[in-house]
Amino acid sequence: MRFQRIVDLLAVAALALLALSGYLTWVSADPGNGRKAVDFNGYTITKAPVTLALAGVVAVVVLKLAGTVLRRVLGGLVVLLGIAAIAVSLGVRPDGTELSRLRPELSDVVANQVTLTLGPAPWLALTGGIALVAAGLLVVLTAHRWRRATQRYERDPAATPADQWKAIDAGEDPTL
């Protein structure tokens, strides 16, 4: 039970970090010469972190209903989603021509000497990707210890139907 809660916390943390990285400054372009700096948020540059976060959380929710084998498969999928988030956070570094393609009105600004600085968003995406990888690995390693979703409602196989009726007559719930 404890592992399920840790996986849930890691998935929620990954969702928060990756979603936040989509809305914070990913790259700031300073054209110089007194012109206003232009900030690009993560969602403008790439929609991958938010998409990967949502896919990871959906996979973690489905884990609650799955059996052991499917949990391990979904855990592997969550690991792959985390690796993709890490790759996006480390690999997406747009240059001046890409920024001018994203915002055509900047083509004359970007043509000059532009200083590009990274914002905090790629680091948040990296941390969110690491959280997804950790959640997926934890699922793969501990899937056999998780409780089934219906285990709470299953009856004791050793109890006979007569014993169950006696428990109901006594005001007890035989499924607990």
Side-chain angles (χ1 to χ4, degrees), residues 23-112:
Y23 296 103
L24 292 179
T25 300
W26 198 281
V27 174
S28 181
D30 185 12
N33 296 332
R35 290 183 269 187
K36 182 179 174 185
V38 180
D39 294 332
F40 292 89
N41 64 10
Y43 203 69
T44 303
I45 292 176
T46 177
K47 294 170 180 51
V50 176
T51 305
L52 292 169
L54 292 174
V57 169
V58 167
V60 169
V61 169
V62 173
L63 285 172
K64 303 288 183 193
L65 304 173
T68 303
V69 174
L70 187 57
R71 277 189 195 128
R72 288 195 171 141
V73 170
L74 288 172
L77 176 67
V78 171
V79 168
L80 292 176
L81 292 171
I83 290 171
I86 291 170
V88 166
S89 68
L90 294 176
V92 175
R93 300 290 184 262
D95 57 356
T97 56
E98 273 188 73
L99 295 178
S100 66
R101 184 183 52 79
L102 291 172
R103 292 211 181 139
E105 66 271 9
L106 294 177
S107 60
D108 58 336
V109 174
V110 177
N112 295 335

Side-chain angles (χ1 to χ4, degrees), residues 107-172:
S107 60
D108 58 336
V109 174
V110 177
N112 295 335
Q113 178 65 28
V114 175
T115 305
L116 297 177
T117 56
L118 284 179
W123 302 111
L124 292 174
L126 177 68
T127 308
I130 291 170
L132 273 181
V133 168
L137 286 176
L138 192 61
V139 169
V140 169
L141 295 175
T142 64
H144 63 282
R145 296 184 189 168
W146 288 30
R147 283 181 45 189
R148 291 185 309 242
T150 59
Q151 185 176 10
R152 175 184 206 182
Y153 304 106
E154 292 176 1
R155 61 186 176 163
D156 182 17
T160 63
D163 292 337
Q164 293 174 1
W165 280 111
K166 288 177 187 176
I168 291 172
D169 289 339
E172 298 173 9

